[in-house]
Amino acid sequence: MKHAYKGNVKIGLGWPRACVLILLTFCINISGNVLAQTPLKPIADSLPALKDTTLVPVTDTFDFKVTRDITAPVRYHADDSMILDVPSKRMYLYGKDSRVNYMDNELTAPKIEYDQQQSMVTAMLQKDTAGKVIAYPTFKQADFTSKSDTIRFNPSTQKGITKGTYTQQGEMYIYGEKIKKVSDDVFYALKGRFTTCNLDTPHFAFVSKRIKFINQKMAFTGPVHPEFEGVPLPLMLPFGIYPMSTGRHSGLIAPSFTANEQLGMALEDLGYYRVFSDNWDAVFRGTIYSYGGWTASVSPRYYKRYRYRGDLSFRIQQFKQNFKGDPDFVSNRNMNITWSHTADLKAKHGVTFMANVNAGSSKFNEQVPNSPMRNFQNQMQSTISYSRVWKDKPYNVAIRASHNQNTNQRLINLNMPDVTFNVNTIYPFRRTEPIGKTRWYENLGIALNTNARSITSFYDTAGGIMNQIADNFLWGATHNVPITLSLPPLGPLQVSPNVSYQEKWYQKKLIRSWNAAENKLDTVTQQGFYTAREMSFGLSASTRIFGMYGFRKSSKVQAMRHEIRPSFSVNYKPDMNRRNYYSTQVNASGATGRFYYYDDRIAGVFGEGEFGGISFSIDNNVSMKVRQKGDTSNSELKKVSLIDGLGIAGSYNLVADSFQLSNLIMNFRTSLLSKINITASAIFDPYQYDADGNRIDRLIWRKRPFSLGTMSSANISLQSSFKGGEGVTSNQGNGQRLPMTGMGGMPLTEFEQEALYMSNNPGEFADFSIPWSIDGGYSLTYSRFRNPLGGFTSQITQDVNLNASMNLTPRWKIGMNGYYNITRKEVGTVSMYLSREMHCWQMSVNISPVGRFRFFTINISPKSSMLRDLKVNRTRYFYDF
């Protein structure tokens, strides 16, 4: 007996987790129970009851056992039809998208069959008349998904076998000719392959005859060999262990083999990664060199969500140069520590804490192998800062400690700490509840800016470091109280008066005097607490002037616009520091010099003399409006900037007895066609010079009325960028993009950063969507300085740089970048590269044949971070000391 049904069927029953079709047992069981007959009862009518001894109550023997272990509703859908074959105890679902759902399990196939007698569920693919596959059976459970040619599963034993199965575990794509499931987490594969290529026929894979899988954890293989484009390589490994789990897990870090002329062959960066908890982990690495040197490092990381994150690294080097017993044998040990910390802004309102530390032995950078750029870095810097802003309060505080280290001089400068306290502008005359318009005096504001610093220094080559720190310790402070008044506009003018009071605190007083007996200048230092102060008064006014010139409507250029931004200020500064300056003899000929009493290394100095003058500046902007190509209605006009800025600035001291006019500063900037950026500036001296090169108090305009003066310095720079194929979207690679943060939100490790770099920038930043690009720059600097023997000398420096690339084919790219000093006729670093985009692999060749740093490197590697150690790399460095 067969029953056929069309359309959707939903039954609120269930079956075991691995195969949802067990519900069909229940369906067939219901059909069997419907056929079960109860004893027939006579029907009463008007005829006498007849007793027929041949009628015997019969019970249908077509009986089934009801499945009792279903714990959730089962929903299934037949895209075409459902057939119940009661005699053979089978059920069929037909249709391209036929599916069954039970809990988190979903089985989809064009044909699904359940055989109750064998307790077997079978899902098969289906082909059309042309032999093309219509759909494959797929199985989903939580984050596990597989696609197969055939799926056979026994609900009673929870075991099954599949043929031609594809699945993905993290970045790994897995295929098995046959896969046998023996438990919920363990299954075996016959003739399987691993790959990170997402194509049906992958470019490369690791092939093994027998594989054991522990779901989302590990995979173990017997003998395994690689294949490229389906061609096996004559390279066989006796076994393989593959991590399949996502997230962080402890394990070994594979080393790489390198060579160095001074240190020999090396087993580099052999290490171990250890996960201690969800909030911190660490990387331990070491390198061993054949000539006896070694390096070691430990790099812990820590992270707490919504609180802070950071990483710490401690490195130590032990190198031996030349051979023991030789006169030039050298053995040294160096250390370096780096620390990076960032607090989440949401952790505590108004409080920020950041740290960026890089400190260590002065010889550490010089000794880093195979890193010429780092070998010549002679600066190490550190900064630790804390700041707090109080809610609904006008003040804030910032504390900063810093470190600067010159590895050539082996001098270490410490700034500990630098404290800044600010009071934002407050308006003491403003009413608490203003009524009506604000009165002019209510805009009178006062603020406070205080900065206190302390510095010290020491040499790491000398002994007694603590004594050096104490002897070289200096401190100082500055206070600035600005008073401002914002007045309403006076017509087109914006007028703003201001008053400023400054005070400086000093630790030392320096008294210099000429020692005639020893013919030298002596300095006497007096420790104490000293102060100096200064005030200034000013009134500034500014405005903007616009001009427009229109053209005919038929003209492409519709209008020209000119904007002038002049500003003018009057300032007066009394001479409040006359007593802090003195004159003394400086050489045997009797020449004298003016000196400031106090040490200016912390708080700085106040200028000597009275100033009462005028400061002025003017800036210009010129643009035009043009009609878009093909537009005749003037509905869309494009603004084109011709001159972004052309200005001049200077000042005039009314109370000075000579040289009242300051130097004139001129600047110019523009962007031509939004492609060429031009920036220029110059400083002009408006006074004349005599035959010996001495400046005289006579303006240049008496001699040359149309001149700005003598140019003392100038610079001009041009920068341009051109590229083809703009707006083309790149579609290279396998489409996988790595996250910008590590697992669990932890900061990225060096390996994760490398993987991110490789995945997001294949082919060494080669963007194959741009067919060609050219970036170039030119700079010229002019300076004029006085010779000790009289006269002036002019110096011109010119530099040019170029960065160009071109696609040879859709997957081959060539490029170069370089620098050339025209003045010295010296070639800087010039490098060329060749990149090949290979879908799931990448190749790059970089070479720098000229310059101080010369190198070449060849790298072929997969893009997947899981296989980052599977790479072919050859690198050599050559550099001149």
Side-chain angles (χ1 to χ4, degrees):
M1 183 190 307
K2 294 185 179 179
H3 302 274
Y5 303 90
K6 292 282 187 177
N8 296 326
V9 181
K10 293 185 179 180
I11 300 179
L13 303 175
W15 45 31
R17 178 174 58 86
C19 183
V20 295
L21 282 178
I22 192 63
L23 77 99
L24 303 181
T25 305
F26 194 74
C27 296
I28 299 176
N29 197 20
I30 293 175
S31 301
N33 289 337
V34 169
L35 297 176
Q37 303 295 320
T38 58
L40 299 179
K41 295 182 179 180
I43 302 176
D45 54 16
S46 56
L47 296 176
L50 298 178
K51 184 176 181 180
D52 190 350
T53 58
T54 61
L55 295 178
V56 179
V58 179
T59 302
D60 195 339
T61 58
F62 194 79
D63 195 9
F64 296 86
K65 295 181 180 179
V66 180
T67 303
R68 301 296 184 185
D69 57 351
I70 299 173
T71 60
V74 175
R75 294 177 175 83
Y76 64 91
H77 162 74
D79 217 26
D80 179 77
S81 60
M82 181 183 74
I83 296 178
L84 290 174
D85 189 346
V86 177
S88 62
K89 303 180 182 180
R90 294 184 180 184
M91 181 183 225
Y92 304 88
L93 297 178
Y94 292 97
K96 181 179 180 180
D97 192 29
S98 297
R99 59 184 179 272
V100 184
N101 296 87
Y102 173 73
M103 299 179 66
D104 61 344
N105 299 271
E106 180 178 339
L107 178 65
T108 304
K111 180 181 179 182
I112 302 174
E113 174 187 338
Y114 175 69
D115 186 342
Q116 190 203 21
Q117 290 181 341
Q118 301 293 329
S119 188
M120 185 66 64
V121 177
T122 305
M124 296 164 285
L125 60 80
Q126 186 176 5
K127 298 181 179 180
D128 57 16
T129 55
K132 184 178 179 180
V133 176
I134 299 175
Y136 288 93
T138 61
F139 178 73
K140 295 181 180 180
Q141 180 184 20
D143 57 350
F144 174 81
T145 302
S146 66
K147 183 173 71 172
S148 308
D149 294 341
T150 303
I151 298 176
R152 293 175 60 83
F153 184 75
N154 191 315
S156 301
T157 62
Q158 295 289 300
K159 298 180 180 180
I161 189 170
T162 65
K163 296 181 180 180
T165 300
Y166 291 87
T167 185
Q168 182 179 359
Q169 301 278 308
E171 294 183 64
M172 191 73 74
Y173 295 90
I174 303 168
Y175 169 80
E177 185 173 305
K178 290 184 179 180
I179 294 181
K180 181 179 180 181
K181 184 177 180 181
V182 297
S183 68
D184 290 344
D185 297 324
V186 179
F187 53 98
Y188 296 87
L190 178 67
K191 296 182 180 180
R193 68 171 182 242
F194 298 85
T195 182
T196 58
C197 182
N198 62 348
L199 298 179
D200 291 340
T201 304
H203 292 109
F204 78 101
F206 296 94
V207 180
S208 180
K209 187 175 181 180
R210 296 179 178 88
I211 307 174
K212 177 182 178 180
F213 295 93
I214 302 177
N215 191 28
Q216 297 295 335
K217 291 184 178 180
M218 300 289 289
F220 306 91
T221 71
V224 60
H225 68 273
E227 285 187 357
F228 286 87
E229 298 289 351
V231 178
L233 296 184
L235 178 65
M236 181 74 69
L237 297 177
F239 63 91
I241 301 175
Y242 306 86
M244 312 293 291
S245 60
T246 59
R248 300 177 299 140
H249 53 276
S250 302
L252 293 173
I253 300 175
S256 59
F257 296 92
T258 61
N260 185 278
E261 294 181 359
Q262 290 78 26
L263 303 174
M265 301 293 293
L267 187 66
E268 190 175 66
D269 284 340
L270 173 65
Y272 182 75
Y273 173 65
R274 173 66 176 173
V275 178
F276 295 100
S277 69
D278 292 338
N279 294 331
W280 76 291
D281 56 17
V283 177
F284 304 88
R285 293 195 190 94
T287 302
I288 302 175
Y289 294 90
S290 60
Y291 291 172
W294 57 270
T295 67
S297 68
V298 55
S299 303
R301 300 181 305 161
Y302 55 91
Y303 168 77
K304 190 170 184 179
R305 183 173 294 180
Y306 307 127
R307 300 289 293 180
Y308 51 78
R309 67 173 59 199
D311 58 86
L312 179 70
S313 179
F314 178 76
R315 299 178 176 90
I316 185 171
Q317 303 170 336
Q318 176 69 53
F319 291 140
K320 298 178 181 179
Q321 296 182 357
N322 303 313
F323 296 95
K324 192 172 183 179
D326 294 345
D328 55 353
F329 173 75
V330 177
S331 178
N332 53 61
R333 179 174 294 180
N334 302 296
M335 294 175 290
N336 177 259
I337 184 171
T338 60
W339 177 38
S340 176
H341 177 92
T342 304
D344 198 309
L345 297 178
K346 299 183 290 294
K348 192 172 183 180
H349 179 74
V351 177
T352 60
F353 178 77
M354 298 182 64
N356 191 355
V357 176
N358 181 16
S361 304
S362 296
K363 294 293 183 179
F364 183 86
N365 285 343
E366 181 181 328
Q367 299 292 331
V368 176
N370 300 331
S371 182
M373 299 299 293
R374 186 166 183 178
N375 295 154
F376 289 93
Q377 288 179 0
N378 59 4
Q379 294 289 331
M380 293 185 185
Q381 297 179 346
S382 304
T383 302
I384 301 175
S385 61
Y386 168 86
S387 64
R388 181 170 184 179
V389 178
W390 281 267
K391 186 178 181 181
D392 300 327
K393 302 293 183 182
Y395 46 81
N396 59 82
V397 66
I399 303 174
R400 180 177 178 269
S402 63
H403 142 270
N404 179 274
Q405 185 173 348
N406 188 311
T407 58
N408 288 339
Q409 300 177 359
R410 310 196 72 170
L411 175 64
I412 300 174
N413 298 307
L414 301 177
N415 183 351
M416 52 179 193
D418 186 343
V419 181
T420 301
F421 178 77
N422 297 317
V423 178
N424 300 331
T425 303
I426 58 177
Y427 301 91
F429 300 109
R430 282 192 177 176
R431 291 164 290 175
T432 306
E433 296 181 358
I435 301 175
K437 294 183 178 180
T438 302
R439 298 179 176 88
W440 67 270
Y441 59 82
E442 291 183 313
N443 289 328
L444 181 67
I446 184 171
L448 171 65
N449 303 312
T450 296
N451 177 255
R453 296 181 58 204
S454 59
I455 63 172
T456 188
S457 62
F458 65 91
Y459 289 91
D460 64 356
T461 56
I465 291 179
M466 297 307 298
N467 292 332
Q468 292 186 66
I469 293 176
D471 294 340
N472 298 328
F473 183 79
L474 295 172
W475 66 268
T478 61
H479 310 273
N480 183 24
V481 181
I483 302 174
T484 59
L485 177 62
S486 178
L487 297 176
L490 301 178
L493 294 177
Q494 181 66 51
V495 180
S496 301
N498 63 83
V499 178
S500 177
Y501 172 82
Q502 295 187 55
E503 183 171 313
K504 298 181 184 292
W505 294 351
Y506 301 97
Q507 176 192 7
K508 294 181 179 180
K509 186 175 183 179
L510 307 178
I511 302 176
R512 300 171 179 86
S513 60
W514 178 253
N515 187 337
E518 298 182 8
N519 204 29
K520 67 175 185 177
L521 186 67
D522 292 336
T523 302
V524 177
T525 302
Q526 296 179 357
Q527 297 282 349
F529 178 74
Y530 305 95
T531 63
R533 54 196 54 84
E534 181 180 83
M535 289 193 69
S536 63
F537 309 87
L539 179 68
S540 63
S542 62
T543 188
R544 301 173 68 182
I545 304 172
F546 300 91
M548 181 80 74
Y549 180 79
F551 295 88
R552 293 177 300 177
K553 292 184 178 181
S554 59
S555 175
K556 182 176 181 179
V557 179
Q558 292 295 294
M560 297 283 292
R561 182 177 181 270
H562 182 203
E563 179 183 354
I564 306 174
R565 296 185 290 267
S567 64
F568 175 88
S569 64
V570 179
N571 300 280
Y572 174 72
K573 179 184 74 68
D575 188 7
M576 301 176 64
N577 289 276
R578 184 182 306 170
R579 295 176 298 175
N580 296 329
Y581 281 86
Y582 64 98
S583 299
T584 189
Q585 184 178 340
V586 295
N587 56 32
S589 62
T592 60
R594 296 285 288 174
F595 295 95
Y596 191 65
Y597 272 121
Y598 308 117
D599 194 329
D600 61 350
R601 285 179 290 175
I602 302 294
V605 301
F606 286 125
E608 183 184 14
E610 181 184 25
F611 178 84
I614 301 171
S615 299
F616 58 88
S617 68
I618 185 171
D619 195 22
N620 295 266
N621 177 276
V622 180
S623 61
M624 65 179 180
K625 292 185 177 181
V626 298
R627 183 189 294 119
Q628 296 278 24
K629 187 176 181 180
D631 180 27
T632 58
S633 61
N634 293 340
S635 58
E636 294 186 9
L637 295 179
K638 181 180 179 182
K639 181 181 178 181
V640 178
S641 179
L642 301 179
I643 300 177
D644 295 331
L646 174 61
I648 189 170
S651 62
Y652 189 85
N653 192 344
L654 298 173
V655 299
D657 56 359
S658 61
F659 301 104
Q660 296 174 307
L661 184 62
S662 70
N663 289 341
L664 301 178
I665 302 174
M666 189 175 183
N667 60 80
F668 171 79
R669 59 192 184 277
T670 187
S671 178
L672 299 179
L673 304 176
S674 301
K675 292 293 184 181
I676 303 176
N677 299 319
I678 303 176
T679 304
S681 64
I683 299 177
F684 298 91
D685 188 346
Y687 289 94
Q688 300 181 24
Y689 291 82
D690 59 19
D692 296 329
N694 297 315
R695 196 174 187 226
I696 59 177
D697 189 15
R698 185 180 302 164
L699 292 174
I700 192 70
W701 297 304
R702 294 184 179 182
K703 186 177 180 180
R704 292 179 291 171
F706 298 104
S707 172
L708 289 176
T710 303
M711 184 185 295
S712 58
S713 65
N715 67 80
I716 182 172
S717 64
L718 291 82
Q719 194 71 32
S720 183
S721 176
F722 301 91
K723 61 183 178 181
E726 295 186 17
V728 179
T729 302
S730 176
N731 193 27
Q732 58 183 351
N734 56 13
Q736 298 182 22
R737 307 294 287 183
L738 297 184
M740 298 300 293
T741 56
M743 294 297 179
M746 295 286 285
L748 294 178
T749 63
E750 290 185 20
F751 283 135
E752 289 172 334
Q753 292 174 5
E754 178 185 356
L756 179 67
Y757 165 84
M758 292 164 54
S759 178
N760 295 347
N761 305 281
E764 295 291 337
F765 288 98
D767 188 350
F768 290 89
S769 66
I770 301 177
W772 61 268
S773 67
I774 299 177
D775 300 333
Y778 169 81
S779 65
L780 182 146
T781 302
Y782 167 82
S783 60
R784 182 175 180 265
F785 52 90
R786 180 80 178 270
N787 287 328
L789 301 179
F792 290 87
T793 299
S794 298
Q795 180 178 343
I796 297 178
T797 303
Q798 300 181 77
D799 300 308
V800 63
N801 62 81
L802 180 67
N803 185 356
S805 65
M806 180 181 66
N807 284 359
L808 300 178
T809 70
R811 294 187 180 272
W812 283 96
K813 193 179 191 74
I814 188 172
M816 65 86 63
N817 59 76
Y819 161 84
Y820 181 72
N821 188 302
I822 301 175
T823 304
R824 295 194 300 265
K825 298 181 180 180
E826 179 180 298
V827 177
T829 301
V830 176
S831 63
M832 296 173 285
Y833 69 87
L834 180 67
S835 298
R836 165 66 172 170
E837 203 282 320
M838 300 185 290
H839 185 256
C840 50
W841 281 64
Q842 61 185 5
M843 182 192 75
S844 64
V845 179
N846 291 267
I847 182 172
S848 179
V850 296
R852 188 175 185 181
F853 307 107
R854 303 182 302 279
F855 66 90
F856 75 84
T857 176
I858 302 174
N859 184 79
I860 304 176
S861 61
K863 294 179 181 177
S864 170
S865 60
M866 181 177 293
L867 302 177
R868 58 173 171 258
D869 296 318
L870 183 67
K871 62 183 178 181
V872 178
N873 180 273
R874 177 60 172 165
T875 302
R876 291 292 302 272
Y877 294 93
F878 312 90
Y879 45 92
D880 301 327
F881 291 97

